[in-house]
């Protein structure tokens, strides 16, 4: 009988999850979605080293970036 690596890892993971305090509940996230963005939430910024003009910043905005670091 050949033991496949993926099946062995699944079995070991299930055994560890059931043996841990709280069982498989540890694998669940503490919240079901990200908190809404507000003035106190951290912002993710993208470094931007292109031309700082209307067309260049429009391109960045089109990929979903709201906060840009231009390096001064």
């Amino acid at each position: 009988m050949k033991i496949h690596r993926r099946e062995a890892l699944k079995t070991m993971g299930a055994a560890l999850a059931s043996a841990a305090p709280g069982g498989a509940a540890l694998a669940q996230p503490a919240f079901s979605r990200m908190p809404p963005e507000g003035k106190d939430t951290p912002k993710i910024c993208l470094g931007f080293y292109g031309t700082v003009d209307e067309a260049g910043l429009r391109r960045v905005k089109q990929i979903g970036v709201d906060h840009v670091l231009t390096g001064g």
Side-chain angles (χ1 to χ4, degrees):
M1 178 177 162
K2 185 175 181 178
I3 298 174
H4 296 280
R5 178 179 44 200
R6 186 170 291 176
E7 292 302 319
L9 289 174
K10 282 183 189 177
T11 303
M12 287 189 294
L16 287 173
S18 64
L26 293 176
Q28 300 299 321
F31 53 87
S32 61
R33 61 180 183 83
M34 295 298 296
E37 185 175 331
K39 66 180 182 78
D40 295 328
T41 56
K43 308 299 184 253
I44 298 174
C45 297
L46 174 71
F48 177 69
Y49 302 103
T51 56
V52 182
D53 61 357
E54 187 176 347
L57 294 177
R58 187 180 306 121
R59 270 193 300 270
V60 174
K61 181 65 178 168
Q62 284 175 345
I63 63 171
V65 177
D66 290 326
H67 305 281
V68 177
L69 301 173
T70 59

